[in-house]
Amino acid sequence: MQARGPVCAARRDDEKNRRGDRMRRRTIIAGLSCAVAGWPLAPCAQEQVQVAALWPFVDGGAEGRSLARTFREALRGLGRTTLQIDDRWGGADVERTRALAAEIVQANPQVIFAFLNAQLSAVSALTKTIPIIFVGASDPVASGYVASLQRPGGNITGFTLYEASLAGKWLAALKEAAPTLRHVTLLSNANTEVRRGNFYTEALGVTGTALSLETEVVMVSSADAIDPVIASLGRRGDAGLIVAPGTFSEANGDRIVALTAQHRVPTVFAIRRFAHRGGLMSYGPDPADAVRRAASYVDRILHGEKPAVLPVQAPTTFDFIVNLKTAQALGLTISSALLAQADEIVE
């Protein structure tokens, strides 16, 4: 009986040595797999990406870079000075966005940040476990992203930018700026609208009836399809345009500004920067503010909170911008009452 103690101890030592050998072999094999794949060994040893961000802009674009910088600065302000963020740039390319979403989910970050509907749709289809913070989903409950605004209930929460009632406000502002209008088209895109263009239809129709305006929603699926729509409105001489928000209008806003100037079509944008670039007006939220607020949710999730109990939040302010130079080029005299409502006037 006394001899069994040392024998058992020796066996335990042998077993520890064998386990150590197996662990070393696994480490060597893992290193070889990286080398065979053509990857340097250092990245294989890096920690998991903490935050992956999917943007509807092209890599190097000023707007996207500005928002990405705002996102980082907000996180640094919360003490996240060494946070690893992986930015991905899908632009308006739906297939590229889906491919990038697959890469992001495969990397298994701690949090995914998705800006606008198309980006949220791409990543949410691939994971039900990785926390996702969005900015810009128009109707997250009806789209099935969350169970309710107060208690999302799953792995997704975030910040909306637009609400359906804005369509009536865009229309009313356009009619006041150009009283002779008889017809207004809302331009949208099927790939980036959560409800296939129906999100704004009801409010647009109700306000149109009250203002004695004929309204319609036109869906376009490519940049080339924009030209004939705006040219047709220009030929009418009594028509205006509303450009709905989304990835498509983010990518094609400058083109729309140029075409509406060429065909003399009064236009209101949801995205504020296009009023500065030559659009007649814009009315909408500041996306930089929503990005800052989203950073606070990312921080809270990294501290252990769950998206299921973080409520979806709406914008706190909307800015109305009027471009007087464009109004003059269109032969419009903007009333003092409308200018008094403007948060900013471009002259």
Side-chain angles (χ1 to χ4, degrees):
M1 292 294 292
Q2 293 177 350
R4 293 181 63 183
V7 171
C8 289
R11 287 176 179 172
R12 286 197 296 270
D13 289 342
D14 288 342
E15 180 59 28
K16 287 180 181 178
N17 290 334
R18 284 194 293 271
R19 283 200 298 268
D21 289 339
R22 286 196 296 270
M23 290 295 291
R24 284 190 289 274
R25 284 197 296 273
R26 289 192 189 105
T27 301
I28 292 169
I29 290 169
L32 286 174
S33 67
C34 284
V36 170
W39 300 334
L41 293 181
C44 291
Q46 288 179 354
E47 294 182 359
Q48 175 191 27
V49 172
Q50 291 171 291
V51 179
L54 185 56
W55 301 94
F57 308 100
V58 295
D59 191 3
E63 291 78 23
R65 288 294 175 184
S66 176
L67 286 174
R69 187 165 54 250
T70 297
F71 188 52
R72 279 172 164 76
E73 289 172 353
L75 285 164
R76 280 197 295 269
L78 294 167
R80 300 285 177 178
T81 56
T82 60
L83 190 68
Q84 184 181 356
I85 302 174
D86 181 18
D87 289 310
R88 300 299 184 97
W89 309 94
D93 187 327
V94 176
E95 293 306 317
R96 174 171 171 76
T97 296
R98 289 173 180 164
L100 290 175
E103 292 177 11
I104 286 172
V105 172
Q106 187 174 21
N108 193 34
Q110 291 175 264
V111 185
I112 297 174
F113 172 77
F115 192 81
L116 298 188
N117 287 332
Q119 290 64 39
L120 173 58
S121 175
V123 293
S124 66
L126 301 176
T127 179
K128 301 300 181 186
T129 56
I130 302 173
I132 299 171
I133 305 299
F134 68 80
V135 165
S138 297
D139 197 346
V141 176
S143 302
Y145 297 128
V146 300
S148 73
L149 298 181
Q150 286 302 312
R151 292 190 67 83
N155 66 315
I156 300 172
T157 189
F159 299 80
T160 61
L161 284 175
Y162 303 96
E163 55 190 38
S165 63
L166 285 175
K169 296 175 182 178
W170 293 326
L171 189 60
L174 198 56
K175 175 65 174 176
E176 188 168 350
T180 60
L181 290 182
R182 296 291 177 267
H183 174 95
V184 174
T185 291
L186 185 141
L187 187 70
S188 192
N189 174 259
N191 291 323
T192 54
E193 290 298 328
V194 174
R195 293 168 64 181
R196 312 296 291 181
N198 294 325
F199 186 60
Y200 300 110
T201 301
E202 183 177 355
L204 190 72
V206 169
T207 305
T209 298
L211 297 175
S212 300
L213 282 169
E214 178 185 273
T215 62
E216 65 173 341
V217 176
V218 173
M219 311 294 285
V220 291
S221 57
S222 68
D224 290 340
I226 298 170
D227 301 47
V229 173
I230 296 176
S232 175
L233 294 175
R235 286 192 295 270
R236 287 183 59 115
D238 63 350
L241 181 69
I242 297 170
V243 183
T247 299
F248 185 82
S249 50
E250 289 278 3
N252 293 285
D254 288 328
R255 182 181 191 139
I256 296 170
V257 167
L259 287 168
T260 54
Q262 176 187 341
H263 295 285
R264 300 179 62 78
V265 177
T267 304
V268 59
F269 289 83
I271 300 169
R272 52 187 288 134
R273 72 176 182 273
F274 295 118
H276 288 277
R277 294 185 176 182
L280 177 62
M281 296 182 295
S282 70
Y283 182 71
D286 181 357
D289 178 63
V291 166
R292 292 186 196 98
R293 297 168 71 200
S296 69
Y297 267 17
V298 170
D299 178 63
R300 290 172 68 174
I301 287 174
L302 291 174
H303 272 118
E305 295 190 55
K306 303 298 183 184
V309 297
L310 295 175
V312 175
Q313 297 188 41
T316 56
T317 59
F318 293 85
D319 293 330
F320 179 43
I321 302 172
V322 178
N323 190 315
L324 277 184
K325 184 177 179 180
T326 300
Q328 292 168 0
L330 294 171
L332 299 175
T333 300
I334 306 297
S335 68
S336 57
L338 188 60
L339 288 177
Q341 298 175 47
D343 299 283
E344 189 175 346
I345 298 173
V346 181
E347 298 187 80

